[in-house]
Amino acid sequence: MLKQYVAEHFEPYIPEWHAADILNVLEIPPDTQLGDFALPVFTLAKLRRKAPPLIARELAEAIGDHSHIKVQAVGGYVNVFLNRKEALRAFLEHWQTVRARYAEPTGKGERVIIDMSSPNIAKPFGVGHLRSTVIGQAIYNLYVKHGYEALRVNHIGDWGTQFGKQIAAYKRWGQDLDLDRATVKDFLDLYVRFHEEAEHDPALEHEGRAWFQKLESGDLEATRLWKIFVERSLKEFDRMYARLGVSFDAVLGESFYNDKMDAVIAQLKEKGLLEESEGAHVVRLDDEGLPPCIILKSDGTTIYATRDLATAMYRHDVMGGDWLIYVVGQEQTLHFRQIIAVLKKMGYDWADRMVHTPFGLLRFAGKKLSTRRGHVIFLEDVLDEAVARARAIIEEKNPALEDKEAVAEAVGIGAIIFNDLKNSRLHDVNFSLEEALNFDGETGPYVQYTHARVRTVLARMTDEDRNVLEEALPRARSDQDSPYLYTLSTDPAWALIKSLDRYPEVLQEALIRHEPSVVARYVLDLAKEANRFYHQERILVQDAALRLPRLYLMQEVAKVLADGLDLLGIPHPEQI
Ligand code: ARG
């Protein structure tokens, strides 16, 4: 809002630009000494064919100093200093309307379908799926916040030739397994063994193929075993989702589309898009500069891509999706480009509203991290280890804390989620539990702890204070309220005001870029400012003209921190 305030003030002096253009280029200087905002004039200088410092000087002179805004030309920038009391009046008034939800309902009810998590059955819930799960959940929250109707869909990998192998392995070596109790780990062991032994026993591959054929033709035994694999795996995944605080609006595995692919293939044929190539049937995408998309393999079976075509059509036609989002690793970029290209060739313009939202790898740096079983790191082990470490830290820092176990869980899980979300999603994440749980670092626990600390201060205010906070202070505009405004004009308070003011913009940017890290960085900054404030200004002092505005500020900070953490899917205990 303060940015808007500056942009509008500048508009009459820059005929080349509208307020919206100015808003786009206004920056926040790296050093607060340089002002509250800065307008870079480099593009303007090009338009006016003059050197940037000259333009900056001319502009600063034309704008001149006013009671509420002062300007100063420095190099190619016009630096802006707001009169804090004047700006505070405007901020407080505006904040009253913003603080109910912070984001503007730009979505107008459009339906967004988000493909997220989507792990594969009978395999461990991998760390790649963890990324898709937490990034997907945060993006979902951002959509809902902006007034979209969002649906989370878990596209479980529950179909494909590997299930033939899984059944073959079970038939050979799994007879002793108690299927009611079997875990994904047991299934994985069978699967690994299959691949090891298949190297010198070619009959195995043949058995695997035969079982998959049986499965595809609805054979009872094959179907029964497959169902057990699916159910046991989902049970384990659900345990993970509950701990991560994630749920789904639909869980539709790949197998759900088995009876929906013939129609897709028929359409492709009808539209003359299907070509034979070395026995397989493909859609050529040469004109898009892409390799052909295989629809049917030479043995006539469908593949992952065929299912994704049917899936997209289902999500658009039946589920009514206006936007189809896929939170899937960047190694599948080509796959999604092909799917979108094929759908467009089929004449579906809505394919333009399909968005692949990729992310980088999650790597484990610390060796001592967790039990490694084979080459696979089980997510559950990582979660357990994080919670155990959080528990130890809490035990040391605050042994008298109530509900220690619940707090340890919230902090341990929060550390993992935050660590995943704090960098741009395309960056690879280097994972070290040590770092993720550092209460003084750029971590989830740091933000959670700051929030809890602020809440603890707020819990000590009186009912009378609380009333003033809700009623009088937000309306502090007249001169008799100026002690309040004065209190909020100190450097640390003003810095916090400016941070709060930025929140709605931050939310919008995070949504537009599908980038939860924008919110994560923001809550880190806000937490840092809050700590600085807390160290420099005493809050619960006698003088109401100091106490009340400071409490007000802390209350709004706590609310925004909690809101940001909610968006990231991170719990925020009242005490830590
Ligand atoms: N199960 C797949 C994998 O683990 C991810 C599925 C992503 N979603 C999709 N509609 N293709 O690689």
Side-chain angles (χ1 to χ4, degrees):
M1 175 265 160
L2 292 174
K3 226 182 198 181
Q4 183 82 35
Y5 182 85
V6 174
E8 278 165 18
H9 180 72
F10 278 17
E11 193 181 23
Y13 303 98
I14 312 176
E16 292 93 330
W17 284 345
H18 292 294
D21 305 313
I22 303 173
L23 200 62
N24 270 333
V25 294
L26 272 175
E27 292 175 7
I28 295 176
D31 177 357
T32 48
Q33 300 288 313
L34 293 172
D36 298 312
F37 297 96
L39 182 81
V41 299
F42 303 98
T43 17
L44 204 59
K46 254 191 207 140
L47 283 176
R48 296 190 184 173
R49 296 170 184 282
K50 282 186 190 164
L54 187 61
I55 294 291
R57 232 177 308 139
E58 284 178 4
L59 202 56
E61 252 160 54
I63 295 171
D65 283 350
H66 296 255
S67 59
H68 64 300
I69 293 187
K70 297 204 183 326
V71 290
Q72 191 182 56
V74 176
Y77 290 86
V78 176
N79 292 340
V80 187
F81 297 83
L82 295 177
N83 175 312
R84 293 181 183 177
K85 275 202 218 163
E86 294 293 330
L88 270 164
R89 274 186 234 271
F91 166 82
L92 288 171
E93 182 171 354
H94 179 72
W95 192 248
Q96 273 307 91
T97 60
V98 167
R99 67 200 283 267
R101 68 179 280 132
Y102 309 112
E104 270 179 59
T106 44
K108 303 193 180 70
E110 270 180 289
R111 187 172 288 185
V112 183
I113 298 188
I114 303 170
D115 185 311
M116 54 181 258
S117 196
S118 309
N120 300 319
I121 293 297
K123 296 227 185 102
F125 193 105
V127 286
H129 298 112
L130 170 68
R131 294 217 72 192
S132 170
T133 308
V134 301
I135 295 171
Q137 177 69 34
I139 290 176
Y140 164 83
N141 291 337
L142 282 164
Y143 270 107
V144 171
K145 183 112 192 142
H146 285 88
Y148 288 82
E149 192 196 328
L151 298 173
R152 292 156 293 183
V153 186
N154 198 347
H155 190 69
I156 301 273
D158 66 356
W159 204 255
T161 49
Q162 71 270 29
F163 292 100
K165 298 178 186 174
Q166 193 76 51
I167 297 174
Y170 170 78
K171 295 296 285 182
R172 281 242 193 156
W173 313 293
Q175 301 296 343
D176 297 338
L177 213 60
D178 175 358
L179 285 179
D180 293 332
R181 299 241 168 101
T183 62
V184 167
K185 160 122 182 24
D186 298 323
F187 299 147
L188 180 70
D189 287 346
L190 285 174
Y191 194 65
V192 168
R193 180 152 179 200
F194 180 96
H195 283 278
E196 278 165 11
E197 304 218 2
E199 274 176 31
H200 34 260
D201 184 357
L204 265 174
E205 290 287 351
H206 178 75
E207 280 172 40
R209 262 197 302 278
W211 275 111
F212 184 60
Q213 262 162 22
K214 281 192 185 178
L215 186 59
E216 285 219 293
S217 56
D219 172 86
L220 279 183
E221 187 181 14
T223 308
R224 183 182 70 88
L225 286 170
W226 170 77
K227 274 205 176 126
I228 290 171
F229 297 146
V230 174
E231 275 160 21
R232 296 299 312 166
S233 306
L234 284 181
K235 215 178 184 120
E236 224 164 287
F237 297 163
D238 281 346
R239 207 161 62 217
M240 229 71 72
Y241 293 135
R243 291 184 80 178
L244 292 169
V246 171
S247 53
F248 295 92
D249 303 288
V251 179
L252 296 174
E254 291 187 31
S255 65
F256 177 76
Y257 301 96
N258 282 347
D259 62 0
K260 297 173 182 57
M261 282 180 289
D262 284 349
V264 178
I265 295 162
Q267 268 195 47
L268 286 169
K269 274 191 190 138
E270 200 180 297
K271 294 180 175 165
L273 294 170
L274 218 50
E275 280 179 39
E276 220 180 299
S277 162
E278 295 164 31
H281 285 78
V282 305
V283 175
R284 289 207 173 280
L285 299 171
D286 303 358
D287 43 352
E288 310 283 330
L290 295 172
C293 182
I294 302 177
I295 304 294
L296 289 169
K297 289 197 290 190
S298 50
D299 61 4
T301 52
T302 56
I303 63 164
Y304 184 56
T306 331
R307 275 191 289 278
D308 255 330
L309 290 173
T311 305
M313 286 164 70
Y314 184 83
R315 288 181 186 165
H316 176 266
D317 299 346
V318 182
M319 297 178 77
D322 297 306
W323 294 90
L324 309 185
I325 316 287
Y326 296 82
V327 185
V328 184
Q330 62 183 342
E331 66 284 353
Q332 293 194 29
T333 299
L334 175 61
H335 166 75
F336 285 106
R337 286 179 64 193
Q338 289 178 305
I339 297 299
I340 293 169
V342 171
L343 287 166
K344 289 189 71 173
K345 276 198 186 296
M346 293 172 84
Y348 296 128
D349 289 340
W350 50 261
D352 282 331
R353 291 191 301 276
M354 288 170 70
V355 184
H356 176 213
T357 295
F359 51 82
L361 291 175
L362 183 60
R363 289 214 183 85
F364 288 83
K367 286 158 283 197
K368 271 189 66 189
L369 177 83
S370 73
T371 9
R372 273 171 167 260
R373 298 164 172 163
H375 297 293
V376 188
I377 296 170
F378 278 67
L379 176 62
E380 192 155 33
D381 293 339
V382 180
L383 298 185
D384 287 344
E385 174 98 25
V387 172
R389 288 188 187 213
R391 194 183 295 124
I393 296 172
I394 291 166
E395 203 59 66
E396 190 196 310
K397 286 199 172 195
N398 191 0
L401 181 71
E402 273 173 50
D403 230 355
K404 266 187 275 190
E405 201 41 48
V407 175
E409 177 82 12
V411 170
I413 306 282
I416 290 183
I417 298 178
F418 195 89
N419 181 73
D420 193 311
L421 296 180
K422 80 169 176 186
N423 295 311
S424 306
R425 60 181 154 72
L426 278 168
H427 282 180
D428 292 350
V429 176
N430 246 324
F431 189 87
S432 129
L433 266 184
E434 208 91 32
E435 242 171 73
L437 275 155
N438 179 356
F439 275 64
D440 300 316
E442 300 199 316
T443 64
Y446 172 74
V447 181
Q448 288 173 313
Y449 185 66
T450 306
H451 170 264
R453 198 165 166 185
V454 175
R455 297 289 307 168
T456 310
V457 175
L458 291 172
R460 287 166 55 198
M461 73 177 148
T462 63
D463 284 345
E464 211 185 315
D465 282 355
R466 205 162 277 138
N467 276 341
V468 181
L469 255 47
E470 282 310 312
E471 294 303 322
L473 207 136
R475 278 176 257 287
R477 283 189 275 292
S478 61
D479 283 335
Q480 80 197 41
D481 298 321
S482 63
Y484 291 161
L485 298 178
Y486 182 77
T487 303
L488 293 178
S489 300
T490 61
D491 283 349
W494 176 242
L496 266 179
I497 295 280
K498 283 193 291 181
S499 277
L500 288 176
D501 179 61
R502 237 162 26 91
Y503 189 46
E505 258 172 64
V506 162
L507 294 179
Q508 201 185 10
E509 187 191 339
L511 174 72
I512 290 172
R513 292 174 44 206
H514 282 181
E515 190 60 89
S517 66
V518 172
V519 178
R521 310 277 358 155
Y522 171 80
V523 291
L524 269 180
D525 285 345
L526 184 62
K528 277 185 209 164
E529 299 286 6
N531 279 310
R532 200 167 300 146
F533 178 82
Y534 189 87
H535 284 297
Q536 294 183 11
E537 318 229 334
R538 298 206 11 242
I539 296 166
L540 294 166
V541 288
Q542 274 295 316
D543 184 352
L546 297 177
R547 183 179 74 249
L548 291 170
R550 287 177 186 163
L551 279 170
Y552 175 76
L553 201 50
M554 286 295 102
Q555 169 185 278
E556 298 311 302
V557 165
K559 271 184 61 193
V560 170
L561 285 177
D563 195 75
L565 288 171
D566 279 340
L567 279 175
L568 299 173
I570 295 175
H572 37 82
E574 289 289 293
Q575 286 180 18
I576 293 184

